[in-house]
Amino acid sequence: MRHCPEETTMKESPNKGSFFLRGGGSAMNNNYILSVIREYADEYLKEPGWRMSKDWFRQVSYSRWAVGEILKSIEESRFTPPIMVVEDFIHKMDSFSCQNKKTSIIFSVAHDMAENILDVLIAMK
């Protein structure tokens, strides 16, 4: 279970000056990044299936949901660098995971998946 962080505000991305921020978030860069995220999810997240344990099924399902939300956010935020979109998603999931103990696991898993995606994007620099 995730420890709920103290509320803080972020003044700028810790990745200031990174490749994607310098690129200006063009549609071509975003399309490439979207395809990389899709490939990452396809490679590391199996389709939820009936042979999985209940806990593993939930984790894979929540992770796939998070990937879909991240992809949608990047598509809708064409002029925001994808790294910043993913960072924002991470902060939202932190906040949501602290609001209700019954649903915190969903947002904790989504947070972890978003951090994995962020690592992939940073490694692409």
Side-chain angles (χ1 to χ4, degrees):
M1 179 151 301
R2 180 163 315 289
H3 171 70
C4 296
E6 295 296 320
E7 190 167 321
T8 59
T9 57
M10 189 173 198
K11 294 183 180 175
E12 64 181 40
S13 168
N15 300 307
K16 184 178 181 184
S18 72
F19 170 77
F20 293 110
L21 294 178
R22 288 193 310 264
S26 72
M28 189 164 86
N29 282 344
N30 281 3
N31 288 338
Y32 177 69
I33 290 166
L34 291 169
S35 70
V36 167
I37 293 170
R38 284 186 190 101
E39 285 180 32
Y40 173 81
D42 289 343
E43 186 172 340
Y44 292 102
L45 295 174
K46 295 180 179 179
E47 282 287 329
W50 61 274
R51 290 186 174 193
M52 293 180 170
S53 71
K54 185 177 182 179
D55 289 337
W56 187 244
F57 179 89
R58 286 181 178 166
Q59 184 161 348
V60 170
S61 296
Y62 301 154
S63 295
R64 292 180 74 80
W65 167 78
V67 169
E69 291 297 312
I70 290 168
L71 291 170
K72 186 169 71 170
S73 294
I74 291 171
E75 288 170 347
E76 291 172 354
S77 305
R78 293 185 316 168
F79 301 107
T80 303
I83 285 179
M84 291 180 73
V85 173
V86 175
E87 288 171 339
D88 183 55
F89 185 83
I90 289 169
H91 294 299
K92 286 179 184 176
M93 296 304 101
D94 271 340
S95 175
F96 294 156
S97 70
C98 295
Q99 292 181 11
N100 183 338
K101 286 184 180 183
K102 291 180 181 179
T103 59
S104 68
I105 187 68
I106 297 167
F107 301 111
S108 294
V109 170
H111 171 276
D112 293 344
M113 177 52 61
E115 281 192 338
N116 292 343
I117 290 170
L118 182 62
D119 289 344
V120 169
L121 297 181
I122 290 170
M124 290 173 56
K125 291 198 285 183

